[in-house]
Amino acid sequence: MDSREIIQVDDETQTTECNGGGGPLGHPLVYLTFDDGDTVDCYYCSRRFAKARSLKPKGAAQ
Ligand SMILES: [Zn+2]
């Protein structure tokens, strides 16, 4: 279960949506809110949405 997908979104994103990728593995469209964190997990399919800045290694050049 460690192979969960991570979907990168813009740093400014407040809300994202997930339908599980559609198709037979999909689920109803849900909206996920980045409260005050940089990541949010879909409660249907456990895919993780992460703001771009949270995926960059610390100290990486822009
Ligand atoms: Zn999902």
Side-chain angles (χ1 to χ4, degrees), residues 4-26:
R4 92 162 82 188
E5 231 179 306
I6 297 181
I7 294 96
Q8 183 177 320
V9 300
D10 289 340
D11 289 346
E12 293 76 25
T13 301
Q14 301 290 327
T15 305
T16 189
E17 54 187 55
C18 183
N19 66 358
L25 297 177

Side-chain angles (χ1 to χ4, degrees), residues 2 5 11 17 29 36 38 41 45 47 58-59 62:
D2 288 312
E5 231 179 306
D11 289 346
E17 54 187 55
L29 185 67
D36 46 7
D38 284 345
D41 293 342
C45 65
R47 289 202 296 181
K58 284 207 165 106
Q62 289 288 346

Side-chain angles (χ1 to χ4, degrees), residues 20-46:
L25 297 177
H27 59 69
L29 185 67
V30 293
Y31 293 91
L32 306 166
T33 304
F34 288 91
D35 296 319
D36 46 7
D38 284 345
T39 63
V40 62
D41 293 342
C42 176
Y43 48 84
Y44 268 100
C45 65
S46 294

